[in-house]
Every structure is written in C-alpha cells, then in structure tokens.
Amino acid sequence: MTLFLKRDSLKPVFTVFFLILSIGFSGAEEKKTEKDTAKVASYDKFLADKELVGEGLFSVYKKDNDYFFEINDSLLGRDFLLAARVAQLSKTTKVEPGEMRKEPIWIRFSRNNEKLFMHKVVSDELADENDPIKRALDRIQMQPVFETFKIKSLNTDSSAAIIDVTKFLTAEIQGISPFNSKYKAGKLEPDATCIKMAQVFPKNVEVKTQMNYSNTTGNPFVIVMNRSFLLLPEKTMRPRYEDSRIGYFASSALFYTTNEIGVDSKKYIARFDIAPKKEDIEDYKAGKLVVPEKQIVYYYDNAFPEEWWPYIKAGIEDWQVAFEAIGFKDAIVGKPYPVDDPNFNPEDIRHSCIRYIASTKANSMGPRWIDPRSGEVLGGDVLWWHNVTQLLRDWRFVQCGAADPKARKRNPELEMLGEMVRYVIAHEIGHCLGLKHNMRASYAFPVDSLRSATFTQKYGTTPSIMDYARFNYIAQPGDEGIRFTPPNMGPYDIFAIKWGYQPIFEAETADDEKAILNQWILEKKDSLIYRYGDQQMGIAFDPAAQNEALGDNAIKASEYGSKNAQYIMKHLIEWTTEENDDFQYMTHMYEEVLKQYKRYIGHVCAYPGGVYRYQLVEGEEEYFQNPVSKARQQEALAWLFKELANQPSWMLNKEIERRIGSHKNELFKYQASVLDILMGGVVFQKLEMYHNEYSSAEYLNDLHKHIWEKTINGKKLNEFERHLQASYIHNLVKMAGAANGSKEKKESSSLASLTSGTSSKIQFLDNLVKPLVFAEIEKTKNLVNKNLRSKDAALKAHYKYLSLLLADY
C-alpha cells in the first residue's frame, strides 16, 4: 500500500488530520436564506415516496433505481475510506472477482445549505500544531473536492442532509472504477447500469452497482462493483516505526519542524490493532494468555473444495503460535463463509476473506488495506487463482520428484496437496498481517542439513514462511524421512510478530518505543535465523537473499539441484506419460525442469561481484556491504562453466526429442544469456566498487581461462562450447564499442547497456574496464589465430569465424 500515515505518536501532531475541512467548504455553519431553503424539499415530503433501506452510518433510502444517503452533520469532517471491489463479472480478463482494483480513497465530507462536498485527502505532510511552520503548511494543504452533491432535503433541525448518490455510484469515477487507464472494457451504457442493492451497518455502508459496457467487438461486458463507505475511528492506533532490519510493509509522510534542519520522513508499519481488553490488561501483564480486544477473523470462500477447508483453516491459524508467544490466544481464526447469515457480504470492507478466483492465472496474493493515519490494517484478502495448485504441483515435481515418489503424481494425493495449500495460505496471511518477503531466511541453514530427516522435520526448509523457499530440492534419491516443505511457522516469523505487535506499555509514544524495538533486534543479531533480506528484482546483488534459493551455499545447493534435474530427466517419459498420451503433460514438465535448472544457474550467477548486505545501526561493528570472497567467486565460475559446457549430455535426450522435438535452440539462447550476465556491466561495476580482493583484471582472466581451456590444450569442442566461445567474443566486441574510430554506435548486451543512465557512470566503467577489455581482445585474437590451422574441419571453420569477428580490433 502507498497510503500516507499520520503521526499519532507525537501528541500535538495527532490532531493534524482532524482539523476543520478546507477553507471555502465550511458552509455547514452558515445561516440559511430564503433562497437556499426554497431549493431544498421539506423532509417529510421528500421521504414520502422513498423506501428506507436501512439506518446506520448513513440512513439509506431508495426510489425505483435511485438511492439516497442521509448524512448527519456529526459526520462532517470525520475520516472515511471509500473502497471499490469487483464482486462479479461476465468474463475474467484483466479484472477478476474479489479484487480491490485500487487502494481505498481517504475522504471527508463538508456542506453548505445547498451542496454537500466529498473531499479527497491528499496531503502527506505534517507539522506540530504549535509550531509556526504549521501556518505555512496549512497554505498548501487544502483538501480538494472529489465529488459535489446537491442537497435534496434537510431533516427537521437541519442537522442532516440528504443527497442523491445514484449518478456517483453508476458513473465511471476515477478511483472507484473497475478499470484503469491502460485497460477498459468499452463504453459504459448508462441505461443498462444501475445500483442493485445497499447494506447499512453502524460503521459502514455497502453498495453494489451493476455496470454494463458495449464495445466495437460486439461482445458486451457486465461487472458488479461493491463500493464501501467505512467510518474510521476517531482515536487511532498508536503507529510503530519501520525498521529496515525487519520486513514490514510501511507507509510514510513528511514531518516539518522548526526545531530541526530539513524534513523528516516518518514511516509506520502496517499491522492489525492487537491489544488486550481493558479488563484483561493486568492479567496480560502478569503473563496470562488473553483474547485480544479485536480478533482477526479470516473467512474462506465456500467455492474452495470442502476437503481443502481444514488445510485452509490450519494455514490461517498457524499464526496463532506467533501471537501466543506475545500473550494472545485465538488472535487470528479462520471460518468458512457463513451460509445462514443474510447480512454476510464477502465484499463488505470489514470482512477479511480468502477468495477463490476461477482463472487460469497461477498465482496468489495477500493485499491489505490500512487506516492511512496510523498504519492499522483494517482488513485484507487472500486471492487464490485456480492454477495455483498446478504451479504447486509443478514445483513439487521438479524440486522433489527425484527424492520423493509421491511428488511424481500428475494429481497429488490430498495429504500432499493440502500440505501445499496450507503453506501458501499461511504465507499470504503473513502479507495480510503486514510482513514482506524475507528472502534471506533460508540462507541461515547449512545446505547439507536439508538432507537430514531430524533437521528438516524440526525446521523445514527455511526459518521463515515469508521466504521464497518452496520445496526441498537439496534432498537426494535415497534420503529418508525428509520434510520437503517450509515450516508451518518459522522462528523469524514468531520474532517478527513480536516486534510488530507486542504492546509496549512503558512507552507513551511511537518515538518512545524505538529504543526498546532496537534492543529486541540487537538481541537477535548474532543468530542468522533472525536476519532479514529484502526481495531483489532482476540480477541479485546479495547472493544470500535470493528468490527460490535454499541453504547457505548456492553452488553446493545448485549442484544437488542439478543432479536431481538430471535424475528426473532420465525418468521423465516414465513419470509423465500414459497409454495413448499426446505428450502435452510431458512437454509441460520438460519445460518446468528446464526452468528449475535455470534457477539453479541463476543462484550461482549472483556470486561474481556479489556483496552480502547487513543492515546495521550506529554502535555495531559491522559493514553494510561485505564482498563475496575471491575463492567463492572463482568456485562459482568454475561450476557455471562446467554446467554450461555439459548441458547436452542430459538435456538433449534422444527418446524425449523423438516424442516432442528438440529444445536445442532454447539451450543455445540460454547459454548466451548466462554469459551476458557474467560479462555484464553490473558485475564489473560491483567488482570495481566493492572488491579489493578480486579485481576486474583477475575476473576477466578467469573468464578467459574457462572459455579457452580446451582450445589452449588442443582438445576438441562440442557445439555448445563453440557457441560459448563465439558468444564470449560477441560480448567482448560489444563491451569495447565501435572499432577504428567508427562513428557507428553498436548496441551492447553487456557493459554499456547495463550501466547506462548517467554519463559519469559509463565514464567510470569505461576508464577502468575498457582498457582491460581491449587487452583481453588482443589476447583472445592471438589465441584464435594460432588455431586457424586446425586439422579438424569444423574447428578450423569455427576459429576462422572467430577471427573475422575480431578483424576490426
């Protein structure tokens, strides 16, 4: 989420977001004139032909297809969230049922005698109410009008206004529309669009609108949107400051003060408000387990197969262990959708639900929505797309099929499938609770420990359910009693819940909590199982925090993984075909094995130039960035080139090719792409910036050695080795740039393209690395020319081609 938070930890600031509404919209206090009154119908007369839908937050009335809200003046200036969720639709495209397409909008109301205004709160800047700078801030903090409604009637003492919300809730309004600017189903047809129903509760109002669209393809589209108006509490939860050493989603705002130079950015984590009831506080302090005042309830969709329900409930309630560790029992519970409650609406913003989406998409996610003033999680969802189970089956097959016969089945048994469902639900509930991925967790475990039945049965594959450490690809055929899945709840997860949720009664403000929270982290700093590593996108910078990786040594782990992939490939036909099978399933699993193998290669590619990152605070004698050792980088290169040269021996299985054709071209492309990474500007940039022990010159020399070892020793090359040498020269030429003063700008897949963005950065690498590249070209050219007289016709042609590639240098 990116909604902005309020500084309620600073008591004077706490009132900032509850000030009088924007200048120019305080008309509720103005006296009525005869002209004003004449434009507003009398209360009794106006309601005479209206049907009361319900009384609660607003009184809601209807006449035919028109809906009206009666908003009391006591709600003017109060904070609301306006949310829009997809309930139903005619066809899943880029919009799917259950999704809250956009973040809830923070709104307030004001009025004069003729109009009621809905304001959108957009400011993310705060100041102490008693600080002179607040006057300057007020001048840039007017709340713009999001929508204007003509008042249809006022109640007898003019303390409530009735407005017609029909047009607002049936039009395409930015922020509550089902579509964004990049995708739209067609033209909204107003005559076929209407409000279907409304539900009224003490703190919220829910309205469902059916919206019909036409388009030029002749395929009409209909969608039902649920809009929620939720009143936020007057007293907010105390926020808790973010800390980069533990993974929580957070939102931020800027705080101005004349007491300090500059502007301070405050970040508060997303978390539910878990606290003991007033009458239980003393028992809680005495160490007794108590039920929190606000219990977290997750409802699971009855569209899930009923045999899955126990596993879904278990995945939700696995988090009870973490809350019990800080004194709360039954803090989070799972329940099926109520079938005998007519008021239950899964789209109701108050209800947190696990939703089944009938779509071919293979994913799940756990979004949450928050009180923008404090970071309090008001609720969240787990979205489960249908093909998640296929994804889980595929991962289990390619990661564990060699060691676990149960993982080889096309349709896993319920026990195995349920175990995987439980894992995914627990992971997504963690996101709903505010936790981010912890990609460093699995690095805490030694690789060979994951082959131990005793260790894995106790700890699983990782110290955190929030890691991307799926299934145990380390275990080898013959290893017995192994647990193949992550833990139900890891020690990092339990600690993270303590850090984010445990009440700190001795602190009066969020600022007062900081020292205590810091001490909790420092107490765990020497244990790797409590380390946090943020998710890295693209090429990994820190090899200890990688997606889909297991263990503390990616080389050893990937070697085990590669052996398992080779074992599976030998048995692929046996495990994936049946009589009269058309090989679709076998083709799919062949491709999945290759994807998994590529992950193993990618994990090891993070070592060259890699840097381990450690988040620290002042007072610790650590380094933020610690280079991977020279020995480990050289070991990684040796393993990578061994794999790249030997792919054909097990990937190009003749019996598999007879059935589904050859994937040789894909392997050639992948081989070149790995070399692009190893010779990329990112690697050289890291080597030059962080590595004193291993220089760019030594690294290039080691690349040369692995590429040309067989050539130097006069040995024959297979076609993959020849392709590797040609790709190496292509990269050298691109890294060097245009030759002989040519003005032609050559595209680069390595140095230039990966370091583009600023001329200073390119110049930095040019000055330091390009001289090495030209030296390597000269060295390579001499070697190639020496082999132009090879007696092997294929090799002679190969070296002639390489010589031509280098002719301009």
Side-chain angles (χ1 to χ4, degrees):
M1 295 294 240
T2 56
L3 292 175
F4 297 107
L5 301 179
K6 172 183 177 292
R7 275 15 176 213
D8 124 288
S9 64
L10 304 170
K11 289 186 176 179
V13 180
F14 191 44
T15 61
V16 170
F17 288 134
F18 296 92
L19 298 177
I20 298 174
L21 289 172
S22 308
I23 298 172
F25 297 106
S26 55
E29 300 177 1
E30 297 175 4
K31 294 182 179 180
K32 292 186 295 181
T33 66
E34 292 183 8
K35 182 179 179 182
D36 294 331
T37 308
K39 293 181 179 180
V40 176
S42 70
Y43 190 66
D44 292 338
K45 183 178 180 180
F46 182 81
L47 293 180
D49 60 348
K50 308 296 188 300
E51 174 190 345
L52 176 65
V53 176
E55 293 179 318
L57 175 63
F58 311 139
S59 291
V60 178
Y61 304 93
K62 66 171 291 190
K63 180 183 178 182
D64 299 327
N65 290 324
D66 295 334
Y67 280 74
F68 306 86
F69 287 176
E70 181 177 337
I71 301 178
N72 198 282
D73 284 358
S74 62
L75 297 174
L76 301 180
R78 291 288 301 274
D79 292 283
F80 291 79
L81 287 186
L82 171 58
R85 184 193 301 282
V86 179
Q88 294 176 281
L89 68 168
S90 56
K91 180 179 176 59
T92 60
T93 50
K94 296 184 179 180
V95 183
E96 292 171 321
E99 287 186 293
M100 192 175 288
R101 297 282 296 162
K102 296 167 186 172
E103 296 171 359
I105 302 170
W106 181 6
I107 63 171
R108 297 180 186 143
F109 294 103
S110 72
R111 77 170 176 89
N112 57 29
N113 289 323
E114 295 185 43
K115 297 175 182 177
L116 185 140
F117 304 97
M118 180 190 291
H119 301 267
K120 183 176 181 179
V121 182
V122 295
S123 175
D124 64 334
E125 298 173 330
L126 306 172
D128 190 310
E129 190 65 23
N130 299 316
D131 194 316
I133 203 172
K134 180 64 175 64
R135 301 177 194 132
L137 200 57
D138 285 344
R139 292 195 286 267
I140 62 169
Q141 286 196 323
M142 292 182 66
Q143 304 304 335
V145 173
F146 184 62
E147 188 73 12
T148 301
F149 302 89
K150 184 178 179 180
I151 295 175
K152 297 295 184 180
S153 181
L154 295 169
N155 67 353
T156 53
D157 63 357
S158 299
S159 64
I162 298 179
I163 59 172
D164 186 343
V165 295
T166 310
K167 184 177 178 181
F168 177 68
L169 293 173
T170 56
E172 283 216 293
I173 305 293
Q174 188 176 8
I176 60 171
S177 166
F179 309 111
N180 56 36
S181 58
K182 294 182 179 179
Y183 172 75
K184 193 173 179 181
K187 179 183 177 183
L188 181 66
E189 296 294 337
D191 292 341
T193 296
C194 63
I195 296 174
K196 301 292 290 182
M197 63 168 288
Q199 292 177 298
V200 186
F201 303 99
K203 299 295 182 183
N204 64 303
V205 172
E206 307 293 318
V207 182
K208 278 188 167 66
T209 303
Q210 180 172 298
M211 308 176 76
N212 280 268
Y213 292 83
S214 62
N215 55 48
T216 56
T217 65
N219 296 314
F221 180 86
V222 61
I223 187 167
V224 175
M225 292 296 295
N226 189 93
R227 274 59 173 265
S228 299
F229 296 82
L230 176 67
L231 178 66
L232 296 175
E234 288 189 276
K235 182 179 180 181
T236 64
M237 175 191 76
R238 178 197 293 172
R240 183 158 289 181
Y241 283 114
E242 181 198 40
D243 191 304
S244 59
R245 295 169 293 174
I246 197 159
Y248 270 90
F249 293 103
S251 301
S252 63
L254 299 176
F255 183 72
Y256 286 84
T257 175
T258 53
N259 295 326
E260 296 179 7
I261 302 298
V263 180
D264 189 15
S265 177
K266 304 276 190 180
K267 290 187 176 181
Y268 294 124
I269 65 171
R271 60 180 183 140
F272 283 89
D273 186 7
I274 297 295
K277 302 170 186 175
K278 290 182 180 179
E279 61 268 26
D280 292 336
I281 289 178
E282 294 307 316
D283 284 345
Y284 179 83
K285 290 181 177 179
K288 296 180 181 179
L289 284 176
V290 301
V291 177
E293 184 175 10
K294 297 180 182 179
Q295 196 178 41
I296 304 169
V297 180
Y298 267 82
Y299 297 96
Y300 41 92
D301 199 336
N302 52 20
F304 283 99
E306 195 166 348
E307 59 265 30
W308 293 12
W309 289 10
Y311 300 102
I312 295 171
K313 182 177 176 64
I316 298 168
E317 295 181 356
D318 280 336
W319 288 94
Q320 287 184 357
V321 173
F323 285 104
E324 287 172 1
I326 59 171
F328 296 104
K329 66 178 179 180
D330 299 330
I332 181 169
V333 295
K335 298 179 181 181
Y337 278 7
V339 294
D340 54 356
D341 182 357
N343 289 323
F344 179 76
N345 172 9
E347 280 71 58
D348 187 330
I349 193 171
R350 299 170 303 161
H351 296 147
S352 297
C353 297
I354 300 176
R355 306 169 187 276
Y356 195 102
I357 301 175
S359 166
T360 57
K361 188 174 180 179
N363 196 11
S364 63
M365 61 187 299
R368 74 224 65 76
W369 54 86
I370 64 169
D371 185 333
R373 307 163 303 169
S374 65
E376 178 186 354
V377 176
L378 303 171
D381 293 303
V382 173
L383 303 179
W384 180 287
W385 283 271
H386 175 74
N387 271 358
V388 173
T389 49
Q390 177 180 305
L391 187 64
L392 292 170
R393 179 208 60 190
D394 294 350
W395 282 340
R396 193 70 177 256
F397 179 95
V398 299
Q399 294 171 12
C400 308
D404 182 12
K406 293 180 181 179
R408 301 167 191 168
K409 294 186 177 181
R410 189 177 302 199
N411 293 298
E413 296 176 358
L414 178 61
E415 181 181 3
M416 175 178 286
L417 180 61
E419 181 184 47
M420 295 187 291
V421 168
R422 179 178 181 175
Y423 151 61
V424 174
I425 295 295
H427 178 94
E428 300 303 347
I429 289 292
H431 287 318
C432 295
L433 293 171
L435 294 176
K436 297 165 69 175
H437 290 131
N438 180 7
M439 297 308 186
R440 203 187 195 283
S442 57
Y443 193 76
F445 289 168
V447 169
D448 285 324
S449 294
L450 298 178
R451 297 188 63 188
S452 163
T454 304
F455 184 90
T456 56
Q457 290 298 335
K458 183 176 181 179
Y459 297 109
T461 57
T462 172
S464 174
I465 194 74
M466 302 313 298
D467 194 1
Y468 270 3
R470 312 296 182 173
F471 306 116
N472 192 343
Y473 62 79
I474 305 298
Q476 297 293 292
D479 292 349
E480 297 183 356
I482 299 296
R483 176 174 179 145
F484 292 95
T485 58
N488 296 338
M489 193 57 45
Y492 167 85
D493 308 311
I494 295 171
F495 173 66
I497 291 298
K498 172 185 175 177
W499 189 92
Y501 281 86
Q502 182 168 310
I504 303 177
F505 293 106
E506 58 268 43
E508 293 187 6
T509 68
D511 282 295
D512 295 338
E513 292 183 346
K514 290 176 68 175
I516 297 170
L517 295 169
N518 179 56
Q519 186 57 38
W520 289 352
I521 292 178
L522 293 179
E523 288 170 359
K524 303 290 188 181
K525 64 166 288 190
D526 293 329
S527 176
L528 293 178
I529 64 175
Y530 299 105
R531 291 278 176 89
Y532 168 71
D534 209 349
Q535 186 169 6
Q536 303 177 95
M537 307 307 291
I539 300 172
F541 192 93
D542 181 351
Q546 298 197 72
N547 300 356
E548 317 293 348
L550 294 179
D552 63 349
N553 183 332
I555 302 168
K556 182 183 287 188
S558 293
E559 176 67 16
Y560 282 132
S562 177
K563 288 180 179 178
N564 281 336
Q566 293 176 48
Y567 187 89
I568 291 171
M569 202 69 85
K570 289 179 181 177
H571 298 274
L572 191 69
I573 299 172
E574 172 191 349
W575 294 348
T576 61
T577 60
E578 300 172 353
E579 191 69 25
N580 298 319
D581 201 330
D582 63 0
F583 305 119
Q584 286 189 39
Y585 180 60
M586 189 181 81
T587 301
H588 174 73
M589 281 307 187
Y590 178 89
E591 292 170 352
E592 289 300 313
V593 173
L594 293 188
K595 286 181 187 177
Q596 183 63 28
Y597 177 71
K598 290 175 183 179
R599 293 187 187 107
Y600 302 144
I601 296 289
H603 294 159
V604 180
C605 282
Y607 280 122
V611 179
Y612 302 111
R613 279 186 166 171
Y614 173 76
Q615 300 289 344
L616 70 156
V617 296
E618 185 58 39
E620 295 185 78
E621 295 182 359
E622 302 280 352
Y623 288 92
F624 170 53
Q625 296 178 139
N626 300 278
V628 175
S629 70
K630 176 180 178 179
R632 179 55 53 86
Q633 293 185 70
Q634 290 177 320
E635 182 187 2
L637 283 180
W639 187 85
L640 286 167
F641 281 101
K642 179 201 74 169
E643 293 295 311
L644 293 176
N646 293 325
Q647 285 176 337
S649 63
W650 63 274
M651 286 189 180
L652 301 178
N653 182 301
K654 290 184 178 179
E655 284 302 309
I656 293 176
E657 288 184 343
R658 183 176 70 81
R659 289 166 169 82
I660 64 174
S662 175
H663 285 66
K664 184 183 290 188
N665 189 50
E666 181 184 345
L667 297 179
F668 278 132
K669 289 180 180 179
Y670 179 65
Q671 185 191 53
S673 71
V674 174
L675 199 59
D676 283 349
I677 292 171
L678 296 177
M679 300 179 73
V682 171
V683 173
F684 286 101
Q685 182 177 331
K686 290 187 290 184
L687 286 170
E688 291 297 330
M689 292 177 67
Y690 307 117
H691 290 266
N692 295 323
E693 183 184 349
Y694 194 34
S695 67
S696 293
E698 291 175 297
Y699 178 71
L700 263 176
N701 187 63
D702 285 340
L703 287 176
H704 180 97
K705 179 185 70 175
H706 290 297
I707 289 287
W708 303 107
E709 183 176 10
K710 281 193 173 182
T711 296
I712 293 170
N713 294 322
K715 296 182 178 180
K716 290 188 176 182
L717 305 173
N718 65 41
E719 58 187 334
F720 280 83
E721 290 166 331
R722 296 199 300 271
H723 183 258
L724 202 59
Q725 289 184 349
S727 298
Y728 180 77
I729 290 179
H730 276 295
N731 277 354
L732 282 179
V733 170
K734 291 174 183 177
M735 291 167 73
N740 298 332
S742 171
K743 294 182 180 180
E744 179 187 2
K745 183 178 180 181
K746 297 185 179 181
E747 293 183 1
S748 169
S749 63
S750 50
L751 191 67
S753 66
L754 287 172
T755 57
S756 62
T758 62
S759 59
S760 59
K761 187 182 290 186
I762 295 173
Q763 186 178 9
F764 153 67
L765 285 175
D766 279 357
N767 292 342
L768 296 177
V769 178
K770 272 199 174 181
L772 303 176
V773 171
F774 279 103
E776 175 61 20
I777 287 176
E778 187 66 24
K779 183 178 177 181
T780 301
K781 190 174 182 179
N782 291 336
L783 178 62
V784 168
N785 289 338
K786 286 181 181 179
N787 286 272
L788 290 176
R789 297 179 181 179
S790 175
K791 294 180 181 180
D792 184 289
L795 278 180
K796 184 176 182 180
H798 167 65
Y799 291 125
K800 179 63 176 176
Y801 171 64
L802 298 186
S803 178
L804 291 173
L805 292 178
L806 293 166
D808 290 336
Y809 292 88

